[in-house]
Amino acid sequence: PAIELFGVRVPLFRFIGLQNYARIFADPLYWSSLWRTVYFVLAFVVEAVLVGLGMALVLNERFVGRPLMRSCLLIPWSLSRVVVGLLWVGILDFEFGALNGVLHNLGLIDRSISFFKDGWSALNVLVSVYMWNQAPFASLLFLAGMQSISEDMYAAAEVDGAGYWQRFGYVTLPALRPILFLVLVLATVNGFLMLDLIYVLTMG
């Protein structure tokens, strides 16, 4: 079948673009890129949630310097991804990177580590760098949720003999379910949209 477009008969198959989709799905590079993207997003979401929740648990406790720590938490998240990329280029560079210099001075390595030597290691480094940038936001959301939990619930659980991890499992986590869902959605969306940090660190 065909349709008439500006006086020209165009095959319907070509008009609706199915030819392009068929070409994409037949390209092995498309599937390779898709699986890498899915792995990146899943790994980033897991790391961001776990690290963000861990930092929120620490910052929810009372200790000296807590306000300062909470302020410092905002620094990685407040930086643009281009700035984050340039910062980590200076840290992870093969020849002049600060991390290689520190490890060498500590006697932990004999030669510099190329963190972007192959695709697999580069992908995992990218996940960790992006987690460093985004986990503080997840931590702030979790911390806000923890601050809204009544102290009476913790006191009642403690009277019943619940330890720290039992209070976490039976009081904190159930109360954080809406926040956890929000963090998962936002982290997933941000993971799929991330491009500039990858380009700055690896030039594609």
Side-chain angles (χ1 to χ4, degrees):
I3 61 172
E4 189 170 330
L5 186 65
F6 302 110
V8 179
R9 292 185 64 80
V10 180
L12 184 60
F13 183 80
R14 181 174 299 177
F15 176 74
I16 61 178
L18 294 180
Q19 221 173 15
N20 293 331
Y21 285 104
R23 191 175 301 164
I24 288 175
F25 292 144
D27 188 353
L29 183 60
Y30 167 78
W31 293 106
S32 175
S33 301
L34 178 63
W35 300 134
R36 288 175 185 269
T37 302
V38 170
Y39 172 83
F40 175 88
V41 173
L42 290 178
F44 162 68
V45 169
V46 170
E47 286 191 16
V49 170
L50 293 180
V51 174
L53 183 59
M55 290 191 297
L57 288 172
V58 172
L59 294 176
N60 194 45
E61 300 295 327
R62 292 184 175 87
F63 58 88
V64 177
R66 185 175 68 168
L68 178 61
M69 290 291 292
R70 288 182 175 181
S71 301
C72 293
L73 181 70
L74 295 172
I75 295 176
W77 180 57
S78 64
L79 301 175
S80 72
R81 287 194 286 251
V82 174
V83 174
V84 171
L86 294 175
L87 172 66
W88 280 92
V89 165
I91 295 175
L92 301 174
D93 186 76
F94 176 73
E95 295 183 359
F96 308 106
L99 181 57
N100 275 319
V102 170
L103 294 176
H104 186 271
N105 290 335
L106 292 175
L108 300 177
I109 57 174
D110 297 326
R111 63 183 68 180
S112 296
I113 301 173
S114 179
F115 295 97
F116 300 103
K117 182 178 180 180
D118 58 71
W120 181 249
S121 64
L123 187 60
N124 287 284
V125 168
L126 289 170
V127 170
S128 299
V129 171
Y130 194 39
M131 178 276 298
W132 179 85
N133 176 235
Q134 293 295 313
F137 179 62
S139 181
L140 288 176
L141 294 178
F142 284 130
L143 187 59
M146 291 176 187
Q147 295 292 309
S148 66
I149 301 174
S150 173
E151 291 291 337
D152 295 336
M153 298 179 65
Y154 289 109
E158 194 169 355
V159 169
D160 290 338
Y164 177 82
W165 291 111
Q166 289 175 315
R167 295 196 301 271
F168 172 74
Y170 291 104
V171 178
T172 306
L173 272 185
L176 290 179
R177 282 178 184 170
I179 303 296
L180 178 60
F181 177 76
L182 176 62
V183 170
L184 288 173
V185 171
L186 292 177
T188 302
V189 172
N190 287 333
F192 276 108
L193 294 178
M194 206 273 283
L195 172 65
D196 38 8
L197 182 60
I198 294 176
Y199 186 77
V200 173
L201 281 171
T202 67
M203 293 300 171

